[in-house]
Amino acid sequence: MHSDDKYTLKPFLKEKFKGIIWKVVLDEEGPIVAIETRDAENHISQYSAFNFQTGECLFKEQSVEGSWLWSLDKVHRGLVFLHSYITEQSPEHKGIIALNQNGTIEWQHYNKTLYVVSMEGLVTYDPRLQPRRLELLKPEDGTLMGSNIQEYTSYEQEIVLPDIIHHQAGLPSFLPANIEGPVWGLSINNKNCYAYHLKTGDSLTQQLIISQDDTILIQDNLEQNIQKLNPEAFFISRHTLFCIRDEKREIVSYLV
C-alpha cells in the first residue's frame, strides 16, 4: 500500500467499517453520502452518513430493529431513507424508515413504499392497494401533502463512470508495465483517473492513479490478492471521486 504522505492529493473522506460495503447513495441536493454495510455472519445491516466535502461523520454504523430485512434506499435533505420488503423472498419494497443526522429514527411508515424522491417531496404508494396510487409525503416528517399524484419533477443526479481505454497509445508512460486486462479511465478538471489490475503471482492487485500534467497526484492499491478483474473501481459525482477498497470495508473520496 502506498503512503498517502507521498502524494499531493489527500482524501476528504476515509472511513473503514466492520461490515462489507453493500450500497452507497448520494444526497441529490447536499454533500452527504450514505453507506450500507452488512455482516452476513451475524445478519446485521448498519448505516452510516458523512459529509463528503468536509469528511465530517454524521453517524456511523447505526442499525434498526430487524436490520437484515432493511436496506438503504435514498438520501434527501439530510435524511437517510431505508426500505424493507414485502417478504424475505420478494424484491418488492415495503416500509419507510427515515434516519436523521444523529442516526436515530425521525419517522417511519410501515405501509408505505418509497417510489421516488422528487423536488416536490417523497413520492410513495401503499403496496396493498391496486391499482397503484401515488401520494406525496413531506420528507421532514412523513406527513401527507397530496394524493393521486400524476406529475412530479425528478432529480437528475450526475454520476460518471470510467470507460475502457481501447487505444494503448493514449496511456501515460508512468502506468506499470505488468497490467493485466483493460485500463479504465476518465478525465475531469484537467485530471486523469485510471484504474487497472497488476498480475502478482497467482493473484491480482487493483490500483488507482489520479494524475495531472503527467504528475501522479495519488497512486493507491484498492484491492490485493483478488482472483478476477473488478471493473467497478470508482465513480465521480459533483467533482468528487469515490472508491471502495480494503476488501470492500473502506470508502475513500478525493476532490477532483
Side-chain angles (χ1 to χ4, degrees):
M1 180 77 66
H2 295 276
S3 171
D4 288 335
D5 295 335
K6 181 180 178 181
Y7 301 104
T8 57
L9 192 63
K10 306 300 180 184
F12 272 58
L13 176 64
K14 186 178 181 181
E15 289 287 339
K16 291 187 176 182
F17 304 93
K18 292 177 287 187
I20 300 296
I21 295 175
W22 192 258
K23 188 181 293 186
V24 177
V25 178
L26 301 180
D27 192 317
E28 294 91 345
E29 295 180 343
I32 296 178
V33 57
I35 299 159
E36 175 186 347
T37 54
R38 290 194 160 234
D39 179 346
E41 182 177 348
N42 297 303
H43 275 218
I44 296 174
S45 297
Q46 294 180 310
Y47 313 97
S48 306
F50 305 89
N51 183 315
F52 61 77
Q53 290 182 349
T54 66
E56 176 190 3
C57 176
L58 304 179
F59 61 89
K60 186 174 180 180
E61 296 176 323
Q62 297 293 312
S63 195
V64 297
E65 184 177 354
S67 65
W68 193 248
L69 299 179
W70 289 85
S71 186
L72 179 61
D73 198 324
K74 302 289 185 182
V75 188
H76 184 61
R77 296 183 183 175
L79 292 171
V80 175
F81 296 97
L82 312 179
H83 69 256
S84 187
Y85 300 93
I86 291 180
T87 67
E88 288 190 45
Q89 292 73 35
S90 172
E92 187 173 355
H93 297 177
K94 178 185 178 183
I96 305 171
I97 289 179
L99 301 178
N100 58 32
Q101 294 196 17
N102 295 318
T104 57
I105 296 176
E106 185 72 14
W107 58 266
Q108 54 193 358
H109 280 308
Y110 287 111
N111 291 317
K112 303 284 187 184
T113 295
L114 180 56
Y115 181 62
V116 70
V117 173
S118 73
M119 293 185 182
E120 294 81 10
L122 305 181
V123 181
T124 68
Y125 62 91
D126 187 333
R128 300 170 300 177
L129 302 179
Q130 295 295 333
R132 181 181 294 176
R133 292 184 293 178
L134 299 181
E135 300 175 329
L136 192 66
L137 302 188
K138 188 176 180 180
E140 290 75 11
D141 57 16
T143 55
L144 183 67
M145 296 193 297
S147 301
N148 296 318
I149 301 300
Q150 303 296 321
E151 296 182 354
Y152 54 86
T153 308
S154 298
Y155 282 93
E156 293 185 7
Q157 188 174 91
E158 182 182 1
I159 293 179
V160 183
L161 299 172
D163 294 319
I164 292 177
I165 299 176
H166 294 283
H167 301 289
Q168 299 298 312
L171 295 176
S173 59
F174 54 69
L175 288 185
N178 59 329
I179 290 178
E180 181 83 4
V183 174
W184 288 268
L186 62 80
S187 298
I188 181 172
N189 294 336
N190 297 317
K191 295 182 179 70
N192 299 304
C193 309
Y194 305 99
Y196 52 87
H197 296 79
L198 303 178
K199 188 71 172 179
T200 52
D202 295 330
S203 62
L204 298 168
T205 295
Q206 185 179 37
Q207 287 191 340
L208 169 73
I209 282 182
I210 303 174
S211 66
Q212 186 172 21
D213 298 329
D214 292 328
T215 298
I216 297 177
L217 304 179
I218 189 73
Q219 182 173 4
D220 196 7
N221 291 340
L222 300 181
E223 295 290 350
Q224 300 183 80
N225 299 318
I226 55 178
Q227 301 303 313
K228 60 182 181 179
L229 299 179
N230 174 27
E232 298 177 353
F234 65 88
F235 69 90
I236 292 177
S237 181
R238 281 172 278 178
H239 306 292
T240 302
L241 181 147
F242 297 87
C243 58
I244 296 172
R245 65 184 189 183
D246 192 18
E247 298 181 337
K248 298 184 179 180
R249 293 181 186 269
E250 182 178 26
I251 188 168
V252 181
S253 73
Y254 299 96
L255 181 64
V256 293

